[in-house]
Amino acid sequence: MTLAVRYVSARTLDTAPALSVPPGPGEVELAPAFVGICGTDLHIFHGDMDARVAAPAVLGHEMSGRVVRVGEGVEGWQPGDAVTVMPLRWDDTCPACHAGHQHICQHLDFIGIDSPGAMQQRWTVPAATLIRLPDTLPLDRAALVEPTAVAVHDVGRAAVREGEKVVVVGGGPVGILIALVARATGAEVRVVELSAHRRLLAEELGLTAWNPVDDDVPELVRQWTGEAGADVAFEVSGAAGGVETAVDVLGVRGRLCLVAIHPRPREVNLHRFFWRELTLVGARLYDRSDFEKAVTLVADGTIPVERLISEVVPLTQAPAAFEALEGGGDVMKILVDCSTDTDTGNTDDAQGVAV
């Protein structure tokens, strides 16, 4: 018997015993080491996704861990292999899949939302979802490969090029990762963020950060770009004001990449889209190449994800960690250590699970 963190109802999580599911044909059983809590997990916690999430539901999709057992027909994987999971299961029958866009399958199973996630001590998933990790990459850092893959996909969707001027509106974990990936692509980047704590972290990472309350961001962009405006803006804040800022900073034929989830319709200055021939691009999830590039960027230190980890808590303290994240600004990323539990004292070596 193992433990799992479950969503029970709005603002209610528990840690409960969960049966370990043996891997069937084409499946692999994993021992999750670290699982990150993301914004989508918080939406679930608030009860905003009850129409989609069937309680009790095991949460978590940002993870790292090791293979414990492999099912029939699985090749190339063995116990002890370090992995992360691309948590997508598509049907390969819908029009999106037929067009080659399996990551946004029209009947997508997002593992950790639509089906049981990683915040448990044993987790069985399709072998096809595994992404290999280098043995030199610490597993706590590897838990941030998934959000880094989001950033890689976003920067690719916006077609960011070397030398371009990029504004990232929203300096949370994904916003900072987008800024760092864009910088690694050769772009010049500015971050717009309300939280002083997050602006300080951005500055410590070598990024310039502006406060939208005290700073006239569109004017700063005009000065920075020699009146031209930004080439690309990423809207990562999820706020109406963030949308307005992202549109206002763009120059002629600029690209706005929408990353944040906006739960309600927003007013958008369409006249500016007409006047400057702007482009709006949506960005959702990732594909395998995004994950593989993210592994490289994290493993070689190009993206110093360890700077985003605010705290690591044992699995039994995960419910309290969700509440801590609601405060927002002073916390970036909290990881749940699934290799230990304070109730039983059971411990797996996060770097090498006994199998």
Side-chain angles (χ1 to χ4, degrees):
M1 190 73 71
T2 63
L3 282 181
V5 176
R6 307 184 309 170
Y7 169 74
V8 179
S9 61
R11 300 192 56 78
T12 303
L13 302 177
D14 68 12
T15 52
L19 291 175
S20 180
V21 180
E27 294 182 331
V28 174
E29 183 182 4
L30 305 178
F34 297 95
V35 180
I37 303 172
C38 82
T40 302
D41 296 322
L42 284 177
H43 283 302
I44 296 172
F45 175 60
H46 293 151
D48 297 336
M49 298 177 67
D50 282 358
R52 180 175 173 185
V53 176
V58 180
L59 303 183
H61 58 272
E62 301 179 0
M63 64 80 63
S64 63
R66 292 188 182 272
V67 174
V68 174
R69 290 187 287 177
V70 300
E72 181 183 349
V74 173
E75 298 180 354
W77 299 102
Q78 60 185 5
D81 285 345
V83 298
T84 186
V85 166
M86 184 174 72
L88 308 180
R89 187 187 286 117
W90 48 81
D91 64 8
D92 257 339
T93 64
C94 73
C97 288
H98 285 167
H101 308 310
Q102 288 90 344
H103 72 290
I104 47 175
C105 169
Q106 290 164 233
H107 308 109
L108 185 68
D109 172 6
F110 191 105
I111 305 172
I113 299 175
D114 304 307
S115 57
M119 213 169 286
Q120 53 184 317
Q121 292 174 316
R122 291 294 185 269
W123 188 36
T124 297
V125 297
T129 65
L130 300 186
I131 305 289
R132 192 176 301 276
L133 298 173
D135 289 333
T136 54
L137 178 59
L139 291 183
D140 56 349
R141 299 182 188 185
L144 275 80
V145 164
E146 193 272 354
T148 304
V150 170
V152 171
H153 184 76
D154 297 343
V155 170
R157 283 287 291 154
V160 174
R161 297 183 291 270
E162 183 176 359
E164 288 193 313
K165 302 287 198 303
V166 172
V167 176
V168 179
V169 182
V174 171
I176 292 295
L177 289 170
I178 289 171
L180 293 173
V181 172
R183 184 176 69 181
T185 305
E188 297 181 45
V189 184
R190 300 292 184 267
V191 176
V192 180
E193 170 56 43
L194 286 167
S195 164
H197 175 81
R198 291 178 170 180
R199 289 198 306 274
L200 177 61
L201 175 61
E203 297 280 359
E204 290 174 348
L205 291 169
L207 300 164
T208 298
W210 292 327
N211 180 354
V213 173
D214 298 332
D215 299 324
D216 184 340
V217 173
E219 177 58 29
L220 289 172
V221 171
R222 282 192 290 271
Q223 295 173 13
W224 173 43
T225 62
E227 305 295 328
D231 300 293
V232 180
F234 291 91
E235 204 308 282
V236 201
S237 73
V243 175
E244 182 178 357
T245 297
V247 173
D248 286 349
V249 300
L250 287 170
V252 170
R253 291 205 166 180
R255 287 106 65 198
L256 170 59
C257 185
L258 183 62
V259 178
I261 298 173
H262 288 261
R264 60 184 62 85
R266 303 292 191 191
E267 289 190 8
V268 179
N269 185 350
L270 292 181
H271 182 269
R272 195 169 186 88
F273 270 80
F274 157 76
W275 198 253
R276 294 202 165 189
E277 293 196 350
L278 303 181
T279 298
L280 172 62
V281 176
R284 177 185 171 201
L285 299 176
Y286 29 61
D287 58 27
R288 179 166 288 270
S289 65
D290 297 321
F291 250 87
E292 291 171 346
K293 182 173 181 179
V295 169
T296 298
L297 291 172
V298 172
D300 68 12
T302 299
I303 309 297
V305 295
E306 67 277 6
R307 300 294 304 278
L308 276 65
I309 301 172
S310 301
E311 188 177 1
V312 179
V313 302
L315 186 144
T316 49
Q317 292 181 20
F322 275 75
E323 295 179 4
L325 279 167
E326 288 184 294
D330 291 342
V331 180
M332 289 295 280
K333 180 66 66 177
I334 296 180
L335 301 184
V336 176
D337 182 351
C338 293
S339 66
T340 63
D341 70 79
T342 56
D343 289 343
T344 67
N346 292 336
T347 302
D348 286 334
D349 177 2
Q351 295 300 317
V353 176
V355 296

